[in-house]
PDB file of all heavy atoms in Angstrom:
ATOM      1  N   ILE D 156     -18.271  -3.623 108.068  1.00  0.00           N
ATOM      2  CA  ILE D 156     -19.725  -3.572 108.121  1.00  0.00           C
ATOM      3  C   ILE D 156     -20.308  -4.754 107.351  1.00  0.00           C
ATOM      4  O   ILE D 156     -19.599  -5.434 106.609  1.00  0.00           O
ATOM      5  CB  ILE D 156     -20.269  -2.252 107.527  1.00  0.00           C
ATOM      6  CG1 ILE D 156     -19.759  -2.058 106.090  1.00  0.00           C
ATOM      7  CG2 ILE D 156     -19.891  -1.072 108.410  1.00  0.00           C
ATOM      8  CD1 ILE D 156     -20.316  -0.837 105.378  1.00  0.00           C
ATOM      9  N   GLY D 157     -21.612  -4.966 107.528  1.00  0.00           N
ATOM     10  CA  GLY D 157     -22.280  -6.021 106.791  1.00  0.00           C
ATOM     11  C   GLY D 157     -22.890  -5.533 105.495  1.00  0.00           C
ATOM     12  O   GLY D 157     -23.140  -6.333 104.587  1.00  0.00           O
ATOM     13  N   ALA D 158     -23.135  -4.210 105.405  1.00  0.00           N
ATOM     14  CA  ALA D 158     -23.732  -3.625 104.208  1.00  0.00           C
ATOM     15  C   ALA D 158     -23.793  -2.112 104.379  1.00  0.00           C
ATOM     16  O   ALA D 158     -23.595  -1.591 105.481  1.00  0.00           O
ATOM     17  CB  ALA D 158     -25.138  -4.181 103.967  1.00  0.00           C
ATOM     18  N   SER D 159     -24.077  -1.427 103.282  1.00  0.00           N
ATOM     19  CA  SER D 159     -24.256   0.028 103.348  1.00  0.00           C
ATOM     20  C   SER D 159     -25.164   0.473 102.220  1.00  0.00           C
ATOM     21  O   SER D 159     -25.412  -0.259 101.253  1.00  0.00           O
ATOM     22  CB  SER D 159     -22.901   0.749 103.232  1.00  0.00           C
ATOM     23  OG  SER D 159     -22.438   0.731 101.890  1.00  0.00           O
ATOM     24  N   GLY D 160     -25.657   1.690 102.359  1.00  0.00           N
ATOM     25  CA  GLY D 160     -26.306   2.329 101.232  1.00  0.00           C
ATOM     26  C   GLY D 160     -25.240   2.689 100.208  1.00  0.00           C
ATOM     27  O   GLY D 160     -24.039   2.465 100.426  1.00  0.00           O
ATOM     28  N   PHE D 161     -25.658   3.294  99.094  1.00  0.00           N
ATOM     29  CA  PHE D 161     -24.706   3.559  98.020  1.00  0.00           C
ATOM     30  C   PHE D 161     -24.576   5.039  97.690  1.00  0.00           C
ATOM     31  O   PHE D 161     -24.128   5.404  96.598  1.00  0.00           O
ATOM     32  CB  PHE D 161     -25.093   2.773  96.759  1.00  0.00           C
ATOM     33  CG  PHE D 161     -24.236   1.567  96.539  1.00  0.00           C
ATOM     34  CD1 PHE D 161     -24.364   0.468  97.370  1.00  0.00           C
ATOM     35  CD2 PHE D 161     -23.281   1.531  95.543  1.00  0.00           C
ATOM     36  CE1 PHE D 161     -23.575  -0.652  97.206  1.00  0.00           C
ATOM     37  CE2 PHE D 161     -22.471   0.424  95.356  1.00  0.00           C
ATOM     38  CZ  PHE D 161     -22.626  -0.672  96.188  1.00  0.00           C
ATOM     39  N   ALA D 162     -24.941   5.898  98.625  1.00  0.00           N
ATOM     40  CA  ALA D 162     -24.878   7.335  98.361  1.00  0.00           C
ATOM     41  C   ALA D 162     -23.450   7.841  98.232  1.00  0.00           C
ATOM     42  O   ALA D 162     -23.198   8.851  97.582  1.00  0.00           O
ATOM     43  CB  ALA D 162     -25.612   8.105  99.458  1.00  0.00           C
ATOM     44  N   GLY D 163     -22.498   7.121  98.841  1.00  0.00           N
ATOM     45  CA  GLY D 163     -21.093   7.490  98.743  1.00  0.00           C
ATOM     46  C   GLY D 163     -20.222   6.289  99.040  1.00  0.00           C
ATOM     47  O   GLY D 163     -19.922   6.009 100.202  1.00  0.00           O
ATOM     48  N   VAL D 164     -19.851   5.554  98.006  1.00  0.00           N
ATOM     49  CA  VAL D 164     -19.085   4.314  98.159  1.00  0.00           C
ATOM     50  C   VAL D 164     -18.016   4.256  97.073  1.00  0.00           C
ATOM     51  O   VAL D 164     -18.283   4.587  95.917  1.00  0.00           O
ATOM     52  CB  VAL D 164     -19.991   3.071  98.021  1.00  0.00           C
ATOM     53  CG1 VAL D 164     -19.170   1.793  97.946  1.00  0.00           C
ATOM     54  CG2 VAL D 164     -20.993   2.995  99.167  1.00  0.00           C
ATOM     55  N   MET D 165     -16.814   3.828  97.442  1.00  0.00           N
ATOM     56  CA  MET D 165     -15.803   3.526  96.434  1.00  0.00           C
ATOM     57  C   MET D 165     -15.440   2.050  96.550  1.00  0.00           C
ATOM     58  O   MET D 165     -15.311   1.517  97.652  1.00  0.00           O
ATOM     59  CB  MET D 165     -14.547   4.384  96.573  1.00  0.00           C
ATOM     60  CG  MET D 165     -13.507   4.069  95.491  1.00  0.00           C
ATOM     61  SD  MET D 165     -12.030   5.141  95.536  1.00  0.00           S
ATOM     62  CE  MET D 165     -12.626   6.548  94.584  1.00  0.00           C
ATOM     63  N   MET D 166     -15.299   1.410  95.377  1.00  0.00           N
ATOM     64  CA  MET D 166     -14.929   0.004  95.350  1.00  0.00           C
ATOM     65  C   MET D 166     -13.977  -0.258  94.198  1.00  0.00           C
ATOM     66  O   MET D 166     -13.874   0.553  93.267  1.00  0.00           O
ATOM     67  CB  MET D 166     -16.174  -0.873  95.193  1.00  0.00           C
ATOM     68  CG  MET D 166     -16.863  -0.738  93.850  1.00  0.00           C
ATOM     69  SD  MET D 166     -18.296  -1.831  93.663  1.00  0.00           S
ATOM     70  CE  MET D 166     -19.322  -1.254  94.991  1.00  0.00           C
ATOM     71  N   THR D 167     -13.310  -1.388  94.262  1.00  0.00           N
ATOM     72  CA  THR D 167     -12.474  -1.794  93.144  1.00  0.00           C
ATOM     73  C   THR D 167     -13.364  -2.390  92.052  1.00  0.00           C
ATOM     74  O   THR D 167     -14.379  -3.043  92.342  1.00  0.00           O
ATOM     75  CB  THR D 167     -11.435  -2.847  93.575  1.00  0.00           C
ATOM     76  OG1 THR D 167     -12.113  -4.042  93.984  1.00  0.00           O
ATOM     77  CG2 THR D 167     -10.578  -2.324  94.727  1.00  0.00           C
ATOM     78  N   THR D 168     -12.981  -2.195  90.819  1.00  0.00           N
ATOM     79  CA  THR D 168     -13.715  -2.820  89.720  1.00  0.00           C
ATOM     80  C   THR D 168     -13.519  -4.327  89.759  1.00  0.00           C
ATOM     81  O   THR D 168     -14.384  -5.084  89.301  1.00  0.00           O
ATOM     82  CB  THR D 168     -13.243  -2.250  88.374  1.00  0.00           C
ATOM     83  OG1 THR D 168     -13.317  -0.818  88.425  1.00  0.00           O
ATOM     84  CG2 THR D 168     -14.120  -2.735  87.228  1.00  0.00           C
ATOM     85  N   GLU D 169     -12.435  -4.777  90.333  1.00  0.00           N
ATOM     86  CA  GLU D 169     -12.198  -6.214  90.481  1.00  0.00           C
ATOM     87  C   GLU D 169     -13.301  -6.849  91.316  1.00  0.00           C
ATOM     88  O   GLU D 169     -13.814  -7.931  90.983  1.00  0.00           O
ATOM     89  CB  GLU D 169     -10.832  -6.462  91.125  1.00  0.00           C
ATOM     90  CG  GLU D 169     -10.479  -7.937  91.286  1.00  0.00           C
ATOM     91  CD  GLU D 169      -9.114  -8.137  91.918  1.00  0.00           C
ATOM     92  OE1 GLU D 169      -8.408  -7.144  92.169  1.00  0.00           O
ATOM     93  OE2 GLU D 169      -8.759  -9.312  92.173  1.00  0.00           O
ATOM     94  N   LEU D 170     -13.681  -6.208  92.419  1.00  0.00           N
ATOM     95  CA  LEU D 170     -14.771  -6.719  93.243  1.00  0.00           C
ATOM     96  C   LEU D 170     -16.087  -6.669  92.475  1.00  0.00           C
ATOM     97  O   LEU D 170     -16.877  -7.622  92.503  1.00  0.00           O
ATOM     98  CB  LEU D 170     -14.892  -5.900  94.527  1.00  0.00           C
ATOM     99  CG  LEU D 170     -16.077  -6.259  95.437  1.00  0.00           C
ATOM    100  CD1 LEU D 170     -15.951  -7.696  95.950  1.00  0.00           C
ATOM    101  CD2 LEU D 170     -16.182  -5.283  96.601  1.00  0.00           C
ATOM    102  N   LEU D 171     -16.324  -5.562  91.786  1.00  0.00           N
ATOM    103  CA  LEU D 171     -17.545  -5.421  90.996  1.00  0.00           C
ATOM    104  C   LEU D 171     -17.647  -6.517  89.947  1.00  0.00           C
ATOM    105  O   LEU D 171     -18.711  -7.109  89.738  1.00  0.00           O
ATOM    106  CB  LEU D 171     -17.551  -4.038  90.329  1.00  0.00           C
ATOM    107  CG  LEU D 171     -18.771  -3.663  89.500  1.00  0.00           C
ATOM    108  CD1 LEU D 171     -20.042  -3.697  90.328  1.00  0.00           C
ATOM    109  CD2 LEU D 171     -18.575  -2.270  88.893  1.00  0.00           C
ATOM    110  N   LYS D 172     -16.531  -6.821  89.307  1.00  0.00           N
ATOM    111  CA  LYS D 172     -16.520  -7.864  88.273  1.00  0.00           C
ATOM    112  C   LYS D 172     -16.753  -9.247  88.885  1.00  0.00           C
ATOM    113  O   LYS D 172     -17.436 -10.096  88.295  1.00  0.00           O
ATOM    114  CB  LYS D 172     -15.196  -7.844  87.514  1.00  0.00           C
ATOM    115  CG  LYS D 172     -15.160  -8.800  86.313  1.00  0.00           C
ATOM    116  CD  LYS D 172     -13.863  -8.657  85.541  1.00  0.00           C
ATOM    117  CE  LYS D 172     -13.884  -9.498  84.277  1.00  0.00           C
ATOM    118  NZ  LYS D 172     -14.131 -10.926  84.533  1.00  0.00           N
ATOM    119  N   LYS D 173     -16.205  -9.470  90.062  1.00  0.00           N
ATOM    120  CA  LYS D 173     -16.385 -10.759  90.728  1.00  0.00           C
ATOM    121  C   LYS D 173     -17.871 -11.014  91.005  1.00  0.00           C
ATOM    122  O   LYS D 173     -18.376 -12.114  90.775  1.00  0.00           O
ATOM    123  CB  LYS D 173     -15.585 -10.783  92.036  1.00  0.00           C
ATOM    124  CG  LYS D 173     -15.552 -12.131  92.715  1.00  0.00           C
ATOM    125  CD  LYS D 173     -14.806 -12.059  94.048  1.00  0.00           C
ATOM    126  CE  LYS D 173     -13.359 -11.646  93.875  1.00  0.00           C
ATOM    127  NZ  LYS D 173     -12.635 -11.683  95.183  1.00  0.00           N
ATOM    128  N   VAL D 174     -18.563  -9.973  91.468  1.00  0.00           N
ATOM    129  CA  VAL D 174     -19.998 -10.099  91.740  1.00  0.00           C
ATOM    130  C   VAL D 174     -20.771 -10.275  90.431  1.00  0.00           C
ATOM    131  O   VAL D 174     -21.670 -11.107  90.321  1.00  0.00           O
ATOM    132  CB  VAL D 174     -20.513  -8.862  92.511  1.00  0.00           C
ATOM    133  CG1 VAL D 174     -22.031  -8.918  92.656  1.00  0.00           C
ATOM    134  CG2 VAL D 174     -19.862  -8.780  93.886  1.00  0.00           C
ATOM    135  N   THR D 175     -20.395  -9.494  89.416  1.00  0.00           N
ATOM    136  CA  THR D 175     -21.088  -9.548  88.127  1.00  0.00           C
ATOM    137  C   THR D 175     -20.900 -10.897  87.451  1.00  0.00           C
ATOM    138  O   THR D 175     -21.842 -11.458  86.878  1.00  0.00           O
ATOM    139  CB  THR D 175     -20.581  -8.426  87.207  1.00  0.00           C
ATOM    140  OG1 THR D 175     -20.809  -7.151  87.848  1.00  0.00           O
ATOM    141  CG2 THR D 175     -21.306  -8.433  85.876  1.00  0.00           C
ATOM    142  N   ASP D 176     -19.679 -11.428  87.517  1.00  0.00           N
ATOM    143  CA  ASP D 176     -19.413 -12.725  86.888  1.00  0.00           C
ATOM    144  C   ASP D 176     -20.282 -13.828  87.481  1.00  0.00           C
ATOM    145  O   ASP D 176     -20.696 -14.752  86.779  1.00  0.00           O
ATOM    146  CB  ASP D 176     -17.936 -13.096  87.040  1.00  0.00           C
ATOM    147  CG  ASP D 176     -17.038 -12.287  86.119  1.00  0.00           C
ATOM    148  OD1 ASP D 176     -17.560 -11.637  85.200  1.00  0.00           O
ATOM    149  OD2 ASP D 176     -15.804 -12.312  86.332  1.00  0.00           O
ATOM    150  N   GLN D 177     -20.553 -13.732  88.778  1.00  0.00           N
ATOM    151  CA  GLN D 177     -21.325 -14.788  89.431  1.00  0.00           C
ATOM    152  C   GLN D 177     -22.838 -14.573  89.334  1.00  0.00           C
ATOM    153  O   GLN D 177     -23.602 -15.531  89.210  1.00  0.00           O
ATOM    154  CB  GLN D 177     -20.931 -14.913  90.898  1.00  0.00           C
ATOM    155  CG  GLN D 177     -21.664 -16.044  91.624  1.00  0.00           C
ATOM    156  CD  GLN D 177     -20.900 -16.555  92.820  1.00  0.00           C
ATOM    157  OE1 GLN D 177     -19.708 -16.281  92.993  1.00  0.00           O
ATOM    158  NE2 GLN D 177     -21.556 -17.328  93.655  1.00  0.00           N
ATOM    159  N   PHE D 178     -23.270 -13.296  89.350  1.00  0.00           N
ATOM    160  CA  PHE D 178     -24.715 -13.034  89.450  1.00  0.00           C
ATOM    161  C   PHE D 178     -25.313 -12.344  88.222  1.00  0.00           C
ATOM    162  O   PHE D 178     -26.520 -12.167  88.151  1.00  0.00           O
ATOM    163  CB  PHE D 178     -25.005 -12.198  90.696  1.00  0.00           C
ATOM    164  CG  PHE D 178     -24.725 -12.924  91.976  1.00  0.00           C
ATOM    165  CD1 PHE D 178     -23.531 -12.734  92.653  1.00  0.00           C
ATOM    166  CD2 PHE D 178     -25.650 -13.813  92.499  1.00  0.00           C
ATOM    167  CE1 PHE D 178     -23.266 -13.410  93.840  1.00  0.00           C
ATOM    168  CE2 PHE D 178     -25.398 -14.486  93.682  1.00  0.00           C
ATOM    169  CZ  PHE D 178     -24.203 -14.293  94.349  1.00  0.00           C
TER     170      PHE D 178
END
Side-chain angles (χ1 to χ4, degrees):
I156 56 176
S159 75
F161 257 71
V164 170
M165 181 176 275
M166 67 178 60
T167 65
T168 307
E169 182 180 356
L170 175 63
L171 182 59
K172 186 176 186 303
K173 188 183 298 184
V174 174
T175 301
D176 286 346
Q177 182 155 345
F178 294 98

